[in-house]
Amino acid sequence: METGTSRVKRGMAEMQKGGVIMDVMNAEQAKIAEAAGATAVMALERVPADIRAAGGVARMADPTIVEEVMAVVSIPVMAKARIGHYVEAKVLEALGVDYIDESEVLTPADEVFHISKSEFTVPFVCGAKDLGEALRRIQEGASMLRTKGEPGTGNIVEAVRHMRLIMGQIRKVQNLSKDELFHEAKTLGVPYELLLGVHETGRLPVVNFAAGGVATPADAALMMHLGADGVFVGSGIFKSDNPEKFARAIVEATTHYDDYSLIARVSKNLGTPMKGIEISKLEASQRMQERGI
Amino acid sequence: MNIGVLALQGAVAEHIRSIGLAGGQGVAVKQPEQLDTIDGLIIPGGESTTIGKLMRKYGFVEAIQQFAKAGKPLFGTCAGLIVLAERLDGGEEPHLGLMNMTVARNAFGRQRESFETDLDVAGIETPLRAVFIRAPLIKEVGGNVEVLSTYKGEIVAAKQGNLLASSFHPELTDDYRLHGLFMDMARQAQ
């Protein structure tokens, strides 16, 4: 009997496919998310939009919040640790969370090194905006990926950019000859063996979700159309007018992302979505996607 | 032979791949009407609460119950096993309520307790590599249910006529023997 094998850790993410993982800040929101059909919840002290508004250093949530959420739902509970913060991750593992997000939404604890994730029993998800970042995170032991997008903006444009870039780079790598692959590995800054795997299979070795800017059912469906395996919704649900309705509608739109009359139906009378931010209005220092590359 | 995989949420592609390895044709099933075109249906791993909700919403519950009544085989893995059960531990509302058994969800603990192991399964000659992810287990079965496998004394695979269920994920390995066994059931049903 073996625990924490890569099959067990990656397999857990496979079971999330086609699903929606929702950010929640307390037990009540966690119950709303579960009742709406979320496949997992991310327990946080503040959603990204609030982190952005509050400024200062964003850290791992108070363990009380994480435990409170774990106590009320039967679906998996994820939680965020700062990039490079080994101890925050160990604390979350000790609490028994089901997945750790080593996340650029929090203020990085290490500007050079990510956590060595292979040595943990609990699996990790990490953000990536291109194939290089994606494969570096996998090499460090990430069992699941997500686009970085631009968290807390309610603007889908960066998640689209990252998903398109990753899918385009995968297609390019598929068509390289064996001798070109080594050079490409050097250019991307990734291990040759992982790149060879992408070349041979035409896909990443782990599940890749969309995240960072999903605000409406149509946004979620767009990311599925572009090749995402599922969707993370951060501020988009509990910063909208009617979280319950938004949550249910996003779940349905993710399952039936190519059924446009269904998406039309679930998009009716949802109320106001979260107020978005135009990306060009963000100063470089406020762009979370530049953290941890 | 066409084997459908219920594609509302979960590990659909992995089952389609295993069916292919076992010599069949796997099809993603998103609409109840598609049930008329398949010889058997797999309910995959995923989150049983999500799959159950979407099944109710899109009219899959009655459609799959009729499919089973017509003698067509069903195979539930992990969340799929929960969906098949007549009784859920803790008084939770059952989903399809087809298999005469009581199932406990997340029975082995949280993700850090998830594991893989070699497992003996009745009808399969040598042990199978079984992957358990936040897995359920079968607390008790009715007289008409055949126990196919146990792990540390707990039931983790069972069969009742045209219904097959496992706590673990045969679709996460290259070993397609359990899918082969399910395809034999579909062949016999024809």
Side-chain angles (χ1 to χ4, degrees), chain A residues 9-21:
Chain A
K9 294 200 279 190
R10 290 177 181 186
M12 155 76 199
E14 304 281 356
M15 298 310 141
Q16 292 284 314
K17 282 196 299 191
V20 182
I21 301 169

Side-chain angles (χ1 to χ4, degrees), chain A residues 1-5 7-9 11-12 14-19 34-35 37-39 70 74-77 93-94 96 98 121 123 248 251-252 255-258 262, chain B residues 7-14 30-31 45-47 49-50 53-54 57-58 105-106 110-117 129 131-134 151-152 169 171-173:
Chain A
M1 196 273 274
E2 296 159 70
T3 57
T5 62
R7 192 143 60 190
V8 164
K9 294 200 279 190
M12 155 76 199
E14 304 281 356
M15 298 310 141
Q16 292 284 314
K17 282 196 299 191
E34 185 177 47
T39 49
M70 282 167 49
S74 65
I75 53 177
V77 175
E93 184 176 53
D98 298 295
T121 306
R248 278 200 306 266
V251 168
E252 282 202 65
T255 298
H256 290 288
Y257 64 91
D258 53 359
L262 181 141
Chain B
L8 297 175
Q9 191 273 317
V12 177
E14 289 70 15
K30 284 197 155 192
Q31 308 290 345
E47 283 306 316
T49 50
T50 308
K53 267 180 195 78
L54 294 171
K57 188 158 257 164
Y58 304 130
R105 294 179 57 205
N106 301 332
R110 305 198 71 95
Q111 173 60 22
R112 65 182 174 191
E113 279 87 42
S114 295
F115 63 98
E116 52 180 285
T117 190
R129 192 69 180 164
V131 186
F132 291 81
I133 297 175
R134 287 173 46 95
Y151 175 73
K152 293 189 173 168
H169 293 281
E171 78 283 8
L172 290 183
T173 70

